[in-house]
Amino acid sequence: MRDAADFVSRHRVAAVVLVLIAFPWVMPYEALAVNILIFGLFAVGFNLLFGYTGMLSFGHAAFLGSGSYFAGMAIVHGGWPWYAAIAAGTLGAAAIGLLIGFLAIRARGIYFAMVTLALAQCVYYIFYQADRWTGGENGLRGVRVGAIKVFGVELNFVDPLTKYYIVLAFVALALWFVSRVLASPFGAVLEAVRENEQRAAACGYDVPRTRLVVFVLSAGICGLAGTLRALHLSVVPIESLHYLTSGQAVMMCLLGGMGTFFGPFVGAAVFLYLEDVVTTWTRHWMLVVGSVFIVFVLFFPRGIWGSILHWMRRRGA
Amino acid sequence: MTPALLAAEGIGMRYGNFLALNQVSVSFARNTLTAIIGPNGAGKSTFFNVLSGALRPSTGRVMFEGRDITGDPQHAFARMGIAKSFQITNVFPRLSTHENVRVAVQMLSTRFDLLTPRESLTAVTAQADQLLETVGLADARRRPAADLAHGQQRCLEIALALACAPKLLLLDEPTAGMSPEETVAMMDLILTLAAERTVILVEHKMKLVMGICQRVIVLHHGELLAEGTPAEVRANAEVKRVYLGQGV
Ligand SMILES: Nc1ncnc2c1ncn2[C@@H]1O[C@H](COP(=O)(O)OP(=O)(O)O)[C@@H](O)[C@H]1O
Ligand SMILES: [Mg+2]
């Protein structure tokens, strides 16, 4: 079992992508699968900051949301091609990450959480007020992407399965990037900073700068998830910037297992699947999902995937 | 005389109304082993923190290789070759013993490399193995640092300090909480290390250091009480008074 666990960790990107290729066939419908892909990536971006560097942000909706808005505005107002909109949204979110990060990284613990929350609320307010550009409380409508050409092949983005695989291509690329970062010397520094900031600084690492770089990376990944969401939904709801969306990133990450590569994806899948199933029985789905969340936090603090990994390693050891 | 490697000039440290250090001026020559001693509360750790960049002094300057480094950020100290171990054990608890040292060694070759795999830095890995060997932790390399015995963690901390190939090694009570056997081993290790670099050792147990260091600095109530060779300090009437009855 330990070998199996090690094998999966060594080829973690390939393993995730293989699972995700088969994924739409086990889901009740493709739109849910696409949603899970997008929120999975959102949670992975959040986990880079929270799970690997130990910085609990309560403002990550700012990056998902601004990524969505920038991509949406590029298409709606600028008439940009879809891929340019994705690039614009990702970079725009990273730029907002740089700004928020610059102001927030010196705070620690609960103060860091509060500063990120407050700044994300500012972002919400700005996009809400700029209704000529963003549609204000109605959200930004008309982010339409139809037939697209990829390397000379015409694909129909409206077809749900095609859309799933196009989104998956971007998610896979982002996962590969995150995996490389985590395996890199910089990834080692992130863990060192998480484990003991004082020691990391004494070892010669510039802790504030490390925190800022990872904050911007995290914002960019979450922004990419946001751009994909704008293309998927064809609208950008103002709720994407709401603090409840930030809370979802925290919940998905904890539910799946913070600080594990696959965990945030598992968390996103379970969260959204439960939401989808439970809403067909009752309006109070939050109550059910919330209870599941509490059970996990209390009895399986490693999260679903974290507990599975722990169990596999223990069996093998 | 060659200029000192490190010099403290008129260091003062004030906590509110309390003066923890008052006009302390000392210099440390290259390749010497100096002990800073004094009773508990004398200001040794405060002075240590000023020398190692963790605290900015209220007054005075710290000069390293002739350059004013007062108030430089903490991470700059390791990069110019000043390393330290803390009085309270300070390692990366959930990383393996080897990874603790590996990440510390890596600092000299790369800081913001996001895409190369860590394992490809073979020289770094080898250097980390070498350091674990030096401090006697080669067998514990795969264990998380949190699982090591207290004495082993103290040794790991020395390895972390050595990782940046320091010219100056600062150790704050490295034997704190150690058994007598561990203490002897640690003192041997410190002697070996001092053969090749400048070492400043903070200790409140006077007896421990008298046999091994070339110079002793005595702090008392935040002031420099005495300095000199162990024999000179032992003969000093003031020092005798402070350490009265402790069998200097
Ligand atoms: N952060 C601080 N704030 C206020 N007083 C302090 C602080 N740190 C140390 N002190 C005081 O300064 C004096 C010297 O402390 P310290 O340098 O730790 O002594 P030593 O290491 O010699 O035992 C003590 O009286 C201690 O209470
Ligand atoms: Mg002390």
Side-chain angles (χ1 to χ4, degrees):
Chain A
M1 279 311 247
R2 192 201 186 98
D3 292 345
D6 283 348
F7 185 82
V8 170
S9 347
R10 213 167 312 122
H11 304 279
R12 54 193 179 189
V13 177
V16 182
V17 171
L18 274 179
V19 170
L20 291 178
I21 283 174
F23 195 59
W25 275 284
V26 299
M27 281 288 110
Y29 50 98
E30 286 91 352
L32 176 62
V34 176
N35 219 9
I36 288 174
L37 272 188
I38 289 168
F39 273 90
L41 183 61
F42 179 41
V44 164
F46 173 77
N47 188 39
L48 186 59
L49 194 68
F50 177 46
Y52 286 97
T53 325
M55 300 157 75
L56 173 54
S57 154
F58 258 104
H60 261 49
F63 311 124
L64 184 85
S66 63
S68 280
Y69 272 109
F70 287 133
M73 288 190 290
I75 289 173
V76 173
H77 303 304
W80 290 19
W82 64 284
Y83 49 86
I86 288 180
T90 307
L91 292 177
I96 292 194
L98 184 65
L99 204 70
I100 293 185
F102 183 77
L103 296 169
I105 47 157
R106 267 156 232 283
R108 298 284 185 279
I110 190 72
Y111 301 102
F112 177 77
M114 290 298 117
V115 173
T116 48
L117 174 62
L119 292 171
Q121 287 303 99
C122 295
V123 173
Y124 175 95
Y125 186 75
I126 291 166
F127 278 86
Y128 186 89
Q129 289 296 314
D131 52 2
R132 274 188 55 195
W133 291 91
T134 63
E137 65 180 322
N138 299 321
L140 179 66
R141 287 165 192 281
V143 189
R144 257 180 286 281
V145 178
I148 58 174
K149 265 204 151 112
V150 181
F151 303 120
V153 184
E154 196 160 288
L155 298 172
N156 182 9
F157 198 78
V158 181
D159 172 57
L161 206 57
T162 311
K163 176 157 74 178
Y164 179 87
Y165 286 112
I166 294 171
V167 170
L168 176 57
F170 283 94
V171 171
L173 206 67
L175 288 177
W176 171 82
F177 175 71
V178 171
S179 179
R180 281 303 285 256
V181 169
L182 292 177
S184 76
F186 181 71
V189 178
L190 295 185
E191 288 177 327
V193 167
R194 176 194 68 198
E195 289 298 301
N196 189 340
E197 257 185 48
Q198 193 186 32
R199 197 6 119 183
C203 284
Y205 291 110
D206 185 339
V207 173
R209 187 178 296 180
T210 304
R211 287 164 65 100
L212 184 60
V213 169
V214 69
F215 196 91
V216 172
L217 285 181
S218 171
I221 306 274
C222 295
L224 174 62
T227 65
L228 298 171
R229 186 156 187 256
L231 302 189
H232 166 51
L233 297 177
S234 307
V235 300
V236 182
I238 185 71
E239 288 76 27
S240 24
L241 285 169
H242 200 271
Y243 64 83
L244 286 175
T245 308
S246 300
Q248 275 184 12
V250 182
M251 283 177 80
M252 288 169 177
C253 196
L254 285 174
L255 189 60
M258 65 183 267
T260 65
F261 188 73
F262 205 55
F265 246 101
V266 174
V270 171
F271 187 98
L272 294 173
Y273 184 79
L274 273 182
E275 173 184 345
D276 189 75
V277 172
V278 178
T279 31
T280 58
W281 316 327
T282 164
R283 271 188 311 122
H284 307 293
W285 66 272
M286 269 299 225
L287 216 57
V288 177
V289 176
S291 309
V292 170
F293 177 73
I294 289 169
V295 166
F296 266 92
V297 168
L298 288 181
F299 300 106
F300 301 93
R302 289 170 213 272
I304 300 170
W305 184 246
S307 300
I308 293 174
L309 270 186
H310 182 67
W311 175 79
M312 292 207 310
R313 295 230 152 91
R314 271 252 303 271
R315 290 268 310 234
Chain B
M1 204 184 106
T2 53
L5 180 66
L6 183 80
E9 303 177 352
I11 300 293
M13 188 73 207
R14 184 173 276 289
Y15 293 118
N17 278 330
F18 178 72
L19 203 56
L21 289 174
N22 186 17
Q23 288 293 324
V24 179
S25 297
V26 268
S27 60
F28 302 88
R30 274 171 210 275
N31 297 322
T32 51
L33 172 54
T34 308
I36 300 178
I37 63 169
N40 272 326
K44 302 182 300 296
S45 289
T46 305
F47 190 52
F48 178 90
N49 286 333
V50 167
L51 295 183
S52 66
L55 282 180
R56 195 199 174 103
S58 315
T59 57
R61 305 192 297 172
V62 180
M63 308 289 290
F64 181 68
E65 297 187 309
R67 209 164 62 76
D68 186 353
I69 58 166
T70 326
D72 280 6
Q74 176 71 90
H75 58 83
F77 279 66
R79 295 181 197 179
M80 55 193 155
I82 304 179
K84 66 171 153 189
S85 80
F86 295 78
Q87 179 171 358
I88 295 161
T89 307
N90 218 331
V91 294
F92 304 117
R94 283 184 293 172
L95 305 186
S96 75
T97 301
H98 184 264
E99 179 60 14
N100 262 268
V101 183
R102 205 204 55 76
V103 71
V105 171
Q106 166 197 299
M107 188 277 296
L108 288 180
S109 38
T110 158
R111 287 195 277 272
F112 284 96
D113 179 346
L114 275 66
L115 293 177
T116 352
R118 303 175 201 180
E119 298 81 51
S120 69
L121 305 172
T122 47
V124 170
T125 309
Q127 171 73 14
D129 283 325
Q130 175 78 54
L131 282 172
L132 285 178
E133 197 78 51
T134 307
V135 300
L137 284 175
D139 293 337
R141 66 195 303 282
R142 289 178 65 115
R143 288 167 58 199
D147 292 357
L148 298 181
H150 173 75
Q152 291 179 306
Q153 289 185 349
R154 303 293 314 179
C155 293
L156 175 58
E157 215 178 320
I158 304 277
L160 290 180
L162 291 173
C164 67
K167 296 175 196 160
L168 173 64
L169 184 60
L170 297 154
L171 307 171
D172 194 358
E173 302 204 16
T175 62
M178 280 188 160
S179 69
E181 302 84 58
E182 286 173 332
T183 303
V184 170
M186 177 59 84
M187 284 298 160
D188 281 348
L189 175 62
I190 292 170
L191 261 184
T192 322
L193 298 175
E196 294 165 32
R197 53 181 76 68
T198 313
V199 177
I200 301 175
L201 174 65
V202 168
E203 189 55 74
H204 79 276
K205 287 169 278 182
M206 193 165 175
K207 267 193 225 161
L208 264 186
V209 294
M210 282 308 194
I212 63 168
C213 61
Q214 285 117 344
R215 259 178 92 236
V216 182
I217 287 166
V218 189
L219 288 182
H220 185 52
H221 291 322
E223 295 191 12
L224 186 64
L225 185 73
E227 68 169 307
T229 63
E232 286 165 3
V233 166
R234 223 186 247 121
N236 185 301
E238 289 282 289
V239 177
K240 277 187 182 162
R241 195 174 54 75
V242 169
Y243 276 94
L244 195 70
Q246 293 196 13
V248 175

